[in-house]
Amino acid sequence: MENKSPNTLPDIRQTQLLNAPIQKVWDAVATSEGLAAWFMPNDFQPVVGHEFHLEAGPFGKSPCKVTEIDPPHRLSFEWGKDWLLTFELIEKDGQTEVTLIHSGWDADKVTEFGQAHAMVRERMGHGWIGLLQKLSQYVEG
């Protein structure tokens, strides 16, 4: 059984159907060039255990580590000190359903930059909506 803090906040989960084949969406979430096109510049490599950085603008380089890779269906990586980012892809008649799961939120924790998780989670929840729109434009364009 998972040992969860009583102050764990719900994961951010967003699902979107993209009008693009699964391999194209996979390349957009599981390659350095793909992630840079809609998310952040990075030195990602699709290898379990690979440590990389997301260039988070004013927040500097955010350390990450690939924890799971199952092409072209699932990719997970640790982001910063507390978060886990997962992309799940399902093929649907030539289209791709992508689900983003941003987990690791805890009301008792603060980010590396001293911001409360609850506050950042609210912002990121809205931010992911825009990012998935950018992903959609990138793969459908």
Side-chain angles (χ1 to χ4, degrees):
M1 192 169 131
E2 244 183 291
N3 182 12
K4 287 209 167 187
S5 147
N7 295 317
T8 298
L9 300 168
D11 296 348
I12 295 173
R13 286 185 80 94
Q14 298 200 357
T15 300
Q16 192 162 340
L17 187 64
L18 304 176
N19 189 20
I22 194 166
Q23 189 60 49
K24 189 170 184 185
V25 179
W26 177 255
D27 290 344
V29 301
T31 66
S32 178
E33 299 78 10
L35 285 168
W38 66 274
F39 188 35
M40 290 183 217
N42 62 84
D43 54 355
F44 171 86
Q45 286 181 21
V47 177
V48 169
H50 176 68
E51 295 184 14
F52 67 102
H53 289 87
L54 291 170
E55 301 280 350
F59 296 111
K61 288 178 183 269
S62 202
C64 301
K65 182 179 179 180
V66 179
T67 56
E68 182 183 1
I69 198 146
D70 176 20
H73 299 288
R74 190 176 165 92
L75 164 70
S76 294
F77 60 83
E78 294 169 358
W79 180 15
K81 63 184 182 64
D82 299 317
W83 297 329
L84 186 69
L85 213 53
T86 301
F87 296 96
E88 293 178 344
L89 278 55
I90 300 171
E91 197 161 16
K92 296 205 166 179
D93 297 324
Q95 296 184 308
T96 306
E97 181 182 272
V98 60
T99 299
L100 167 118
I101 305 154
H102 186 167
S103 55
W105 302 101
D106 188 320
D108 292 338
K109 291 185 178 176
V110 294
T111 68
E112 295 90 313
F113 307 104
Q115 298 171 312
H117 270 212
M119 189 179 82
V120 177
R121 186 187 175 284
E122 183 75 19
R123 219 172 37 230
M124 293 293 283
H126 296 295
W128 279 118
I129 295 168
L131 282 167
L132 285 182
Q133 285 171 344
K134 281 178 73 175
L135 172 62
S136 167
Q137 289 161 0
Y138 175 64
V139 297
E140 293 177 2

